[in-house]
Amino acid sequence: MPQAPGLWPDGHHGAQLVSVDPGYVREVWPLVAPLIERAIVTTGLSAFAAIEQDILVGASLLWVAWNGAVIEAAAATSLQQTDAGKVCVITACAGTGMTRWLPLIGGIESYAQAEGCRYVRIFGRRGWARVLEGYEETHAIIDKRLP
């Protein structure tokens, strides 16, 4: 089960990254579920119910960007063992005011490194590669709609 690393303050952007302790996630979940669901509906890459279940049982971590007054964004991560090594997957992320919280991904990257991950992987829109420094599109998920 992943361990929540606590607060990752970021003084330059007016928001801080908070990994929600799995013991308190049920209290925070109603506040962020609409954000996570919006991210999932936008991409169609996963199922909201599965991500919700993983977060609520502590198999995945819930992260929030908190500015001291409101939650600006929420993200979900899971650790996965692959043949290429351990990977921290950001399975969903959405919010408002992206320029204020986008740099907070460094906290998730630090967490992933501390957990022995070789990569941070993002399941999301293609545009994430354009706005995140150091990330590159290495694979594609392609679909063919069937009648």
Side-chain angles (χ1 to χ4, degrees):
M1 182 180 324
Q3 293 296 309
L7 299 178
W8 295 85
D10 184 74
H12 295 85
H13 301 284
Q16 62 184 358
L17 182 65
V18 179
S19 174
V20 179
D21 185 305
Y24 297 102
V25 76
R26 288 185 183 277
E27 295 173 31
V28 177
W29 183 247
L31 303 172
V32 299
L35 290 172
I36 298 293
E37 186 171 26
R38 186 177 82 205
I40 292 166
V41 168
T42 300
T43 65
L45 293 175
S46 56
F48 175 74
I51 289 179
E52 178 181 45
Q53 179 66 20
D54 285 349
I55 289 170
L56 293 178
V57 300
S60 293
L61 284 179
L62 175 64
W63 303 80
V64 296
W66 170 253
N67 70 12
V70 297
I71 294 171
E72 294 186 12
T77 61
S78 68
L79 300 180
Q80 299 178 3
Q81 187 62 49
T82 71
D83 288 343
K86 197 176 198 180
V87 177
C88 178
V89 179
I90 300 174
T91 54
C93 179
T96 59
M98 181 172 37
T99 57
R100 289 189 303 273
W101 51 261
L102 190 63
L104 299 176
I105 193 170
I108 293 175
E109 294 165 350
S110 294
Y111 160 75
Q113 188 173 23
E115 289 292 321
C117 294
R118 295 192 62 204
Y119 303 97
V120 173
R121 182 170 290 152
I122 297 172
F123 289 171
R125 294 179 294 116
R126 214 176 216 139
W128 284 118
R130 289 191 303 270
V131 298
L132 290 170
E133 185 177 326
Y135 285 78
E136 61 184 72
E137 189 174 331
T138 58
H139 298 82
I141 298 172
I142 60 173
D143 292 326
K144 178 179 180 180
R145 185 177 303 271
L146 300 174

